[in-house]
Amino acid sequence: MEVLSSRVILRPGDHDRSVRFYRDTLGLAIHREFPGGTVFFLGQGLLEVSGTGDSGPSEDQMLWLQVRDAAESVRELREFGVAVLAEPERRPWGLIEGTVADPDGMRIVLVEVPPEHPLRSDVRQPP
């Protein structure tokens, strides 16, 4: 199988409210719109908000978004009235993570990669 592109699809309880949240509150840029749906740029991926759902997100589902400064991002979102589920803290694996929720309760983990973390290291061996 050759994967050419991918996206996460959310079926929100209130479509317009969720589009406003992802567009206006999180500030995601719109990739494309179609009747009943909006696709946002999500870093190197895409997030589609389309249709409506009635069961809400599972606790087993979350969005993982890398940001430059997790504490500042959580502070800004709190000022917009976004529910903060967990304050940013350094996790055992070395990343700084804080968690907020979208209007339907979808958990969004805001992740900061500290400068000394292996994800920022060049692991190639010199020639």
Side-chain angles (χ1 to χ4, degrees):
M1 174 175 81
E2 182 180 5
V3 177
L4 302 177
S5 68
S6 64
R7 69 177 67 169
V8 174
I9 300 174
L10 297 180
R11 301 273 190 246
D14 181 324
H15 178 266
D16 293 339
R17 177 186 68 186
S18 289
V19 167
R20 284 191 306 274
F21 174 80
Y22 286 101
R23 181 192 63 215
D24 303 336
T25 304
L26 290 189
L28 300 182
I30 294 174
H31 171 62
R32 66 182 288 260
E33 295 177 285
F34 55 90
T38 303
V39 180
F40 296 96
F41 287 106
L42 193 62
Q44 296 178 13
L46 297 171
L47 172 68
E48 177 180 322
V49 177
S50 62
T52 56
D54 54 15
S55 61
S58 162
E59 287 191 22
D60 296 332
Q61 301 166 331
M62 64 187 77
L63 296 176
W64 190 95
L65 306 180
Q66 183 180 343
V67 297
R68 293 192 189 280
D69 185 326
E72 178 65 16
S73 296
V74 166
R75 186 193 64 72
E76 289 174 4
L77 292 173
R78 179 181 278 117
E79 288 179 3
F80 280 115
V82 174
V84 176
L85 304 179
E87 294 294 330
E89 67 175 316
R90 188 176 300 265
R91 306 298 295 163
W93 42 91
L95 299 174
I96 299 168
E97 299 182 1
T99 306
V100 299
D102 84 354
D104 287 311
M106 170 64 80
R107 290 178 300 150
I108 302 170
V109 181
L110 303 173
V111 180
E112 177 184 339
V113 181
E116 71 282 358
H117 194 277
L119 287 176
R120 291 192 184 245
S121 300
D122 186 349
V123 296
R124 297 174 291 180
Q125 297 296 319

